[in-house]
Amino acid sequence: MHTSVYSNSHDATSWNGVQLVDGSEFDAFMEGEVASRLHDKAGKADFTSHLNSLASTGFAQDSLQAILEAEHPEERDWAVGEALAEAWLSREHGVVWPWNMERDKRTPLASLPGADLVGFVTQGSETRLVLGEVKSSSDSNAPPNVMTGRHGMTRQLETLVTDIGLLYTLIRWLQPRCRGNDSEPHFNAAIGLLLQSGNKAMTLFGVLVRDTQPDERDLRNRGQHLGGVVNAPAGCHLLALHLPCSIASLPDRVQGGVS
């Protein structure tokens, strides 16, 4: 489903370009793993089951059906890009997501602040906190504008590794979502390691979703810059995912359409 097109590193930061290949495996990935993340299928199934147990009459069942049919499915291409990044990091890097941020939305088209990616990764006997950002771009420039500037990915990743206030906010958000479930041991191990390292031992991911020809310039200068900012035991991985389709077509592809 993919081929590596470039790979390089500078100190604690690495960058890689990956070309995704069109075909049945890519279709299955989009319609399965990506759709599951985008629509939070596990959370939706639990939600539906719980409400079904409360609808004890035919009238109540009709009322519940009206609520379920009023769902506003996520169709923005950048949101599909985020779900694609999450699914890819789970598949290829073993990242575990303890919580789907779709569950925190208060309005149908909300965009939540903080980090796009919050999870855990286990390497050997060590479990680390994962924080990261995702950008999608059809910009013909290399690097694209979403990588630079005040609100670009590079600046956001710098903030994640240097802003102790933001780190507090993210851990404070994450802790109750891990308490009392399968994610609690990951949380305890990752945050314990973080504290023992002087709040340094975390893994950052910056994922750039592209529908342009692979070009290492998308990541190289940003990777070299972050190599001077992110210090071990922290680690930073920049990843460009080059699509076999346009970013604008992602909502169709995740629904099983080809365009």
Side-chain angles (χ1 to χ4, degrees):
M1 188 178 85
H2 71 280
T3 57
S4 177
V5 288
Y6 58 82
S7 179
N8 218 322
S9 64
H10 177 58
D11 292 338
T13 298
S14 66
W15 56 95
N16 303 86
V18 172
Q19 177 67 64
L20 301 179
V21 179
D22 211 351
S24 59
E25 189 177 355
F26 178 74
D27 291 340
F29 175 64
M30 293 297 297
E31 296 166 34
E33 295 157 72
V34 177
S36 182
R37 286 300 303 174
L38 178 68
H39 301 304
D40 186 21
K41 290 184 178 180
K44 182 179 177 181
D46 182 66
F47 168 77
T48 302
S49 176
H50 192 141
L51 265 64
N52 263 318
S53 71
L54 305 177
S56 56
T57 67
F59 181 77
Q61 283 288 338
D62 290 342
S63 300
L64 172 57
Q65 190 61 31
I67 288 177
L68 296 178
E69 290 176 355
E71 178 187 13
H72 193 297
E74 179 61 83
E75 295 180 342
R76 294 172 292 180
D77 51 28
W78 66 261
V80 185
E82 286 188 5
L84 189 155
E86 291 174 354
W88 185 264
L89 291 177
S90 292
R91 171 188 278 224
E92 299 296 326
H93 296 271
V95 178
V96 174
W97 310 111
W99 188 259
N100 192 313
M101 292 188 185
E102 281 289 304
R103 300 171 194 173
D104 285 336
K105 290 184 176 180
R106 297 295 184 270
T107 61
L109 297 179
S111 178
L112 300 173
D116 294 332
L117 306 172
V118 182
F120 306 110
V121 66
T122 298
Q123 298 169 329
S125 61
E126 184 178 274
T127 298
R128 286 185 170 220
L129 176 67
V130 167
L131 300 175
E133 298 292 337
V134 181
K135 301 290 186 184
S136 298
S137 178
S138 298
D139 185 356
S140 60
N141 292 314
N145 290 334
V146 295
M147 294 296 292
T148 60
R150 182 178 178 184
H151 301 292
M153 182 192 290
T154 308
R155 178 58 182 156
Q156 290 174 321
L157 292 173
E158 285 184 43
T159 301
L160 287 174
V161 81
T162 60
D163 188 336
I164 195 73
L166 178 56
L167 182 61
Y168 165 83
T169 299
L170 291 168
I171 294 174
R172 179 70 182 87
W173 171 87
L174 185 58
Q175 185 266 341
R177 288 158 177 79
C178 295
R179 190 176 182 89
N181 58 47
D182 291 344
S183 296
E184 188 167 11
H186 293 296
F187 178 90
N188 293 343
I191 303 307
L193 178 67
L194 182 73
L195 298 176
Q196 289 294 333
S197 69
N199 300 326
K200 302 288 187 185
M202 67 179 79
T203 297
L204 303 180
F205 280 99
V207 183
L208 176 63
V209 179
R210 292 288 259 158
D211 55 6
T212 58
Q213 288 298 311
D215 188 333
E216 189 178 356
R217 292 179 300 170
D218 279 348
L219 302 182
R220 183 177 57 215
N221 288 346
R222 301 299 90 200
Q224 291 173 340
H225 171 78
L226 287 167
V229 175
V230 179
N231 299 311
C236 180
H237 305 286
L238 301 181
L239 177 65
L241 296 178
H242 291 271
L243 302 171
C245 59
S246 68
I247 288 172
S249 73
L250 285 176
D252 289 331
R253 296 298 295 253
V254 85
Q255 296 295 338
V258 177
S259 61

